[in-house]
Amino acid sequence: MALSGAHDRMIARAAREIAPGMVVNLGIGLPTRVIGHIPADFPVCLHTENGLSGIGPTLPYEAADRNLIDAGGAYVSTIPGSAFFDSATSFALVRTGRLDLTMLGAFEVAANGDLANWKIPGRFTPGAGGGIELAQKARRVIVLTTHTDRAGNPKLVSRCTLPLTAAGCVARVLTEMAVIDVTPQGFALREIAEGLDPATVAAATGAPLSLPEGEIPTF
Amino acid sequence: MALSGAHDRMIARAAREIAPGMVVNLGIGLPTRVIGHIPADFPVCLHTENGLSGIGPTLPYEAADRNLIDAGGAYVSTIPGSAFFDSATSFALVRTGRLDLTMLGAFEVAANGDLANWKIPGRFTPGAGGGIELAQKARRVIVLTTHTDRAGNPKLVSRCTLPLTAAGCVARVLTEMAVIDVTPQGFALREIAEGLDPATVAAATGAPLSLPEGEIPTF
Amino acid sequence: MKLPDKTTAMAEAVARIPSGATVMLSGFGVPGTPFALIQELLRQGQDNLTIIKNDANETGMGVDHLLAQGRIRRLITTHIGLNPRAVAMMNAGEIEVEFCAQGILAERIRAGGAGLKAIVTDIGRDTELTRGKPRLEIGGDSAVVELALRCDVALIHAARADTFGNLAFAATARNFAPLIAMAADMVIAEAEEIVPLGALPPDHVHTPGPFVDHVVALEALSEEYGVVRRA
Amino acid sequence: MKLPDKTTAMAEAVARIPSGATVMLSGFGVPGTPFALIQELLRQGQDNLTIIKNDANETGMGVDHLLAQGRIRRLITTHIGLNPRAVAMMNAGEIEVEFCAQGILAERIRAGGAGLKAIVTDIGRDTELTRGKPRLEIGGDSAVVELALRCDVALIHAARADTFGNLAFAATARNFAPLIAMAADMVIAEAEEIVPLGALPPDHVHTPGPFVDHVVALEALSEEYGVVRRA
């Protein structure tokens, strides 16, 4: 999928969520692209649930190892200090809070932090994969998604209508339009994409969006 | 502990319980001594619950590896095809019935197959160690023990008085005096040590002992 | 003491699987999927199978062949989004699909492999995936009882095996293999390379030999393992 | 991406353990016991500890030092038959001892390490060890609910560690180490050898680095590891 400039800025902005020393799982889809924005000497351990800590750069077709993929099927590489493990150990790490951060995709995110990303009844049921445990157990869950779906409907909603992946798990939503936190009072705008105004973001959001006082940082 | 000729014959007899291809756990104490009676080319996999399949011969002090012991603390060795694993995997193997046979020591064995070998209340409580799972889950449990305790009291009893390790688990008892099966009707004499007569064995047994018809094989 | 030889011919090993069997398959996507054993299962004709696998592979690969030939009655899995046939057959009621959170599928299999009856977890508590499952109050919190899973046969792909059945896996091809190896009444492992006893260092064995019943040599590596260009 | 460095000085790492902590120790008998970390704990003076370990070592070794100095309030274990002091202190009511079937202790720790609440098992069903524990009917059978165990700190002895905390164990010194590494809020590993990143092949790591918080280099190997002549 080709990304627009706005999408590219969103991915670069997402990379800044990663603090030195973190263990991070980047979910399938947009989040995986964040890898490309992490500097080579940045101290971080990327985890993929199919059994690898210490993901290295994604490899082109010619350099790929048939046995070395991430959970999304991309051919990845190791770095010095990588380790392979089985699927039970991989999720042991997730469920015991050893993941400082995960970034996930979404069908819907609600103003109370509920996440739905595994089933659209009657239309598409891929299954939950590792999403439930990532959403429920990572210390911080950021949703990285387009602000609206292909039909233009908001993905940020007052209440999820689709079956939940996990309740109240999302801390922050990062889209091509804005950085929005989930707060006890609902969605709160934190940053805005360069060139956009808050009203446009609010109009594309399916739930009340509180605006900060003063100037809104851009990305 | 030095063994008498009768004890030595018991150990040799015990070795004959091991059929080719079996996976076997030999408990702490007398059972461990069975290793010395297994021929070098005999196809068997010995397991020890501290994390080794494919135990090789016990090593003398000079040749010992400080990291390589059996569950009783004896310095053992590996053979081609040995594998090390953690304690959870080790007991996964036990609890899923992958052990064809275990030989265990006993404080008491009852005529219904109950085994007590971990606690003498108020006197000695070493703890159960791996004994409960070995007794409860090995496909065949043989008790290898002296026929009586140090005070001369029978270890084969009508009903255990000590806290149980596992109920109804013992298939056969092997002592320096006899080979005795646990049957639905209680203890049944199968073989007898050379030079002993059945009455002597029965007198040393704390529960009724049925005798076979015809001649009794000796060992 | 020497360790028994468990090398078996492919056809003979797979012939021990009856129709109606519950079969666990290793593999997460392509890596670790036992493509050759699946092909032999296709050839021999077993049907009415319950398959337990992380995913349903992709079109034209592994599980998809079994689906295409109508051999699968029921699938216990975590994610079938990359196999349109699986999604379509599920929607049409042609196969039963039970979804499980991925790590809980791993733990249910491992629990079966560890001789446990069940595990208790808070995962999926707020989702329809745990609807109808028994609950247990632990520490004032409601948790879900997830039953252990076992199977008749586990089919496993290993990078290397010795003749006793010690297995070693490569990179992310390990995934579910060590777990299903513990959870099966019979374990058949296909290996890219069969090495002599002693060639796998005891500290580096991923699945110990006592769990494995049959070791099958691969004559050629399935084309389904090939690296593919993705969009 | 590069992996963070977790090497820490012995005194600094152990100073993070408060009195009253629940501490898991690796080791089955001598192999794998973190003798140096225990010595540092003795030196620093933490007391009122709950210790979780397979056994209580033998006289003059490891856990026995902590017992001799009265640092242990409670011991969760499987077998203390080789430590007369532990047996005597238990009988005298000077320490609390909770016995567990060995494989169930391993699984309770692993369950804590896997983020589960409990496991359900038939082990020990007929023994006093499971008296008073909750029961659950599964498949018409009564099974025991065994609660997961976690701890504040796990102290681990490794043969080799890299600077990120990937660990490799030697032979039967592995035993409980990979399990307690998963079940602790803080993991401190002492290593006979600290190797650079990349020196441990990713397929041969026994405990992945993300589970480990501090890696401590051993300057000398404790004499307690020495091979002893037995009767």
Side-chain angles (χ1 to χ4, degrees):
Chain A
M1 140 178 71
L3 295 180
S4 69
H7 284 85
D8 237 355
R9 289 209 310 280
M10 158 176 70
I11 304 290
R13 172 62 189 81
R16 283 162 40 209
E17 295 284 337
I18 300 175
M22 276 187 169
V23 182
V24 179
N25 182 297
L26 299 170
I28 300 175
L30 284 176
T32 305
R33 303 197 165 222
V34 174
I35 295 183
H37 288 264
I38 303 173
D41 62 346
F42 192 87
V44 63
C45 176
L46 300 182
H47 163 266
T48 179
E49 58 269 34
N50 57 325
L52 166 62
S53 57
I55 308 178
T58 307
L59 295 182
Y61 172 77
E62 300 73 24
D65 173 347
R66 67 181 164 90
N67 288 317
L68 183 37
I69 63 172
D70 68 14
Y75 298 104
V76 294
S77 59
T78 57
I79 56 178
S82 294
F84 295 115
F85 33 79
D86 66 40
S87 296
T89 305
S90 191
F91 281 93
L93 198 151
V94 175
R95 285 191 304 267
T96 56
R98 287 283 179 185
L99 278 190
D100 298 295
L101 171 66
T102 191
M103 297 198 200
L104 298 172
F107 295 158
E108 289 177 336
V109 187
N112 63 356
D114 288 359
L115 172 65
N117 72 357
W118 74 278
K119 182 177 185 178
I120 304 177
R123 266 180 52 212
F124 183 55
T125 302
I132 292 179
E133 283 147 306
L134 291 169
Q136 206 174 324
K137 294 297 182 183
R139 290 181 184 275
R140 182 170 168 81
V141 177
I142 295 180
V143 162
L144 194 60
T145 180
T146 55
H147 207 91
T148 54
D149 68 16
R150 284 173 199 178
N153 299 311
K155 288 192 165 194
L156 288 81
V157 295
S158 287
R159 188 160 290 279
C160 287
T161 58
L162 298 172
L164 290 194
T165 301
C169 61
V170 178
R172 170 166 282 193
V173 187
L174 240 152
T175 77
E176 77 284 7
M177 301 182 91
V179 176
I180 293 172
D181 277 352
V182 173
T183 74
Q185 290 74 43
F187 290 130
L189 184 65
R190 299 297 189 215
E191 299 176 32
I192 193 164
E194 223 172 275
L196 276 190
D197 63 89
T200 309
V201 176
T205 302
L209 179 67
S210 71
L211 306 187
E213 302 194 12
E215 200 165 343
I216 304 172
T218 59
F219 65 94
Chain B
M1 140 179 66
L3 294 181
S4 70
H7 283 85
D8 237 356
R9 289 210 309 282
M10 159 177 69
I11 304 289
R13 173 62 189 80
R16 284 161 40 208
E17 295 285 338
I18 301 175
M22 276 186 169
V23 181
V24 179
N25 182 296
L26 299 171
I28 300 174
L30 285 176
T32 306
R33 302 194 168 227
V34 174
I35 295 183
H37 288 264
I38 303 172
D41 62 345
F42 192 88
V44 63
C45 176
L46 299 183
H47 164 266
T48 179
E49 59 268 34
N50 58 325
L52 166 61
S53 57
I55 307 178
T58 307
L59 295 181
Y61 172 77
E62 301 73 22
D65 174 347
R66 67 182 164 88
N67 287 316
L68 182 38
I69 63 171
D70 69 13
Y75 298 105
V76 294
S77 59
T78 57
I79 55 178
S82 294
F84 295 115
F85 33 79
D86 66 41
S87 296
T89 305
S90 192
F91 281 93
L93 198 151
V94 175
R95 285 191 304 267
T96 55
R98 286 283 179 186
L99 279 190
D100 296 295
L101 171 66
T102 190
M103 297 199 199
L104 298 173
F107 295 157
E108 289 177 335
V109 187
N112 62 358
D114 288 0
L115 173 66
N117 73 356
W118 75 277
K119 182 177 186 180
I120 304 177
R123 268 180 51 212
F124 183 55
T125 302
I132 292 179
E133 282 146 306
L134 291 169
Q136 205 173 326
K137 293 298 182 182
R139 288 182 185 274
R140 181 169 169 81
V141 177
I142 294 179
V143 162
L144 193 60
T145 180
T146 55
H147 208 90
T148 54
D149 67 17
R150 283 174 200 178
N153 299 311
K155 287 191 164 194
L156 289 82
V157 295
S158 287
R159 189 161 288 281
C160 288
T161 59
L162 298 172
L164 291 193
T165 302
C169 62
V170 179
R172 170 166 281 192
V173 187
L174 240 153
T175 77
E176 77 285 8
M177 301 183 91
V179 177
I180 292 171
D181 276 353
V182 174
T183 74
Q185 290 74 43
F187 290 130
L189 184 67
R190 298 298 191 214
E191 300 175 31
I192 193 164
E194 223 171 275
L196 275 191
D197 61 88
T200 309
V201 177
T205 303
L209 180 67
S210 70
L211 307 186
E213 301 192 15
E215 202 165 341
I216 304 172
T218 60
F219 65 93
Chain C
M1 289 83 76
K2 72 160 202 257
L3 295 169
D5 189 314
K6 299 176 182 170
T7 53
T8 310
M10 169 75 78
E12 186 190 328
V14 173
R16 292 165 183 264
I17 308 172
S19 284
T22 296
V23 179
M24 290 184 185
L25 301 174
S26 59
F28 188 119
V30 166
T33 304
F35 290 123
L37 287 166
I38 292 171
Q39 278 298 335
E40 180 61 20
L41 206 50
L42 284 165
R43 198 187 65 79
Q44 292 192 8
Q46 288 91 334
D47 61 10
N48 198 28
L49 300 170
T50 294
I51 296 291
I52 303 178
K53 185 182 187 292
N54 177 65
D55 54 79
N57 290 119
E58 299 177 47
T59 303
M61 304 177 88
V63 172
D64 187 57
H65 298 305
L66 292 167
L67 287 168
Q69 294 199 12
R71 306 291 186 83
I72 300 178
R73 184 179 70 75
R74 179 170 159 77
L75 185 62
I76 304 178
T77 188
T78 78
H79 193 275
I80 58 173
L82 297 179
N83 188 323
R85 190 196 313 274
V87 175
M89 289 179 79
M90 171 180 71
N91 289 342
E94 291 163 22
I95 53 168
E96 272 177 60
V97 176
E98 176 183 341
F99 284 113
C100 217
Q102 193 166 95
I104 295 305
L105 181 64
E107 285 295 326
R108 289 180 66 191
I109 293 170
R110 193 197 164 280
L116 305 175
K117 304 285 187 194
I119 54 170
V120 185
T121 174
D122 63 352
I123 294 298
R125 194 165 48 180
D126 307 314
T127 73
E128 64 177 49
L129 287 183
T130 62
R131 201 176 289 158
K133 296 191 174 181
R135 297 275 172 142
L136 197 65
E137 201 81 8
I138 289 191
D141 226 27
S142 168
V144 184
V145 179
E146 293 275 5
L147 298 183
L149 286 172
R150 282 190 64 83
C151 64
D152 301 302
V153 187
L155 301 182
I156 289 173
H157 180 85
R160 298 206 297 163
D162 69 20
T163 54
F164 179 56
N166 289 302
L167 306 180
F169 309 104
T172 58
R174 189 182 321 179
N175 55 71
F176 281 75
L179 311 173
I180 69 171
M182 295 159 65
D185 290 345
M186 178 170 70
V187 173
I188 305 174
E190 58 171 55
E192 298 184 18
E193 190 188 357
I194 295 190
V195 299
L197 289 178
L200 295 177
D203 277 331
H204 297 163
V205 168
H206 293 136
T207 287
F211 286 113
V212 177
D213 299 285
H214 302 287
V215 178
V216 172
L218 289 179
E219 285 168 19
L221 206 57
S222 166
E223 286 178 8
E224 295 172 15
Y225 290 113
V227 169
V228 294
R229 283 185 198 275
R230 296 194 188 271
Chain D
M1 290 82 77
K2 73 160 199 257
L3 295 169
D5 189 315
K6 298 176 183 173
T7 53
T8 311
M10 169 75 78
E12 186 190 329
V14 173
R16 292 166 183 262
I17 308 172
S19 284
T22 296
V23 179
M24 290 184 186
L25 300 174
S26 59
F28 188 119
V30 167
T33 304
F35 290 122
L37 287 166
I38 292 172
Q39 279 298 335
E40 181 62 19
L41 206 49
L42 284 165
R43 197 185 67 79
Q44 294 192 8
Q46 290 90 337
D47 60 11
N48 198 28
L49 301 170
T50 294
I51 296 290
I52 303 178
K53 185 182 186 294
N54 177 65
D55 54 81
N57 290 119
E58 300 176 46
T59 302
M61 304 175 87
V63 172
D64 187 57
H65 298 304
L66 293 167
L67 287 168
Q69 296 198 10
R71 305 292 185 83
I72 299 178
R73 185 179 69 75
R74 179 172 158 77
L75 184 61
I76 304 178
T77 188
T78 79
H79 194 275
I80 58 172
L82 298 178
N83 189 324
R85 190 196 313 274
V87 175
M89 290 179 78
M90 172 180 70
N91 290 342
E94 291 163 22
I95 53 169
E96 271 178 61
V97 177
E98 176 183 341
F99 284 113
C100 218
Q102 193 166 94
I104 295 305
L105 181 65
E107 285 295 326
R108 289 180 67 192
I109 293 169
R110 193 197 164 280
L116 305 175
K117 304 285 187 193
I119 54 169
V120 184
T121 174
D122 62 353
I123 293 298
R125 193 165 49 179
D126 307 314
T127 74
E128 64 177 50
L129 287 183
T130 62
R131 203 176 287 157
K133 295 190 172 182
R135 298 273 172 144
L136 197 64
E137 201 81 10
I138 290 193
D141 227 26
S142 168
V144 184
V145 178
E146 294 275 5
L147 297 182
L149 287 171
R150 283 190 63 84
C151 64
D152 300 304
V153 187
L155 302 182
I156 289 173
H157 180 85
R160 299 206 294 163
D162 69 20
T163 54
F164 179 56
N166 289 301
L167 307 181
F169 309 104
T172 57
R174 191 183 320 181
N175 56 72
F176 281 75
L179 311 174
I180 70 172
M182 295 157 65
D185 290 346
M186 178 170 68
V187 173
I188 304 174
E190 57 171 54
E192 298 183 19
E193 191 187 357
I194 296 189
V195 299
L197 289 179
L200 295 177
D203 277 330
H204 298 163
V205 169
H206 293 137
T207 288
F211 287 113
V212 177
D213 299 286
H214 301 288
V215 178
V216 172
L218 289 178
E219 283 168 21
L221 207 57
S222 166
E223 288 176 7
E224 294 172 16
Y225 291 112
V227 169
V228 294
R229 284 185 197 275
R230 295 195 188 271

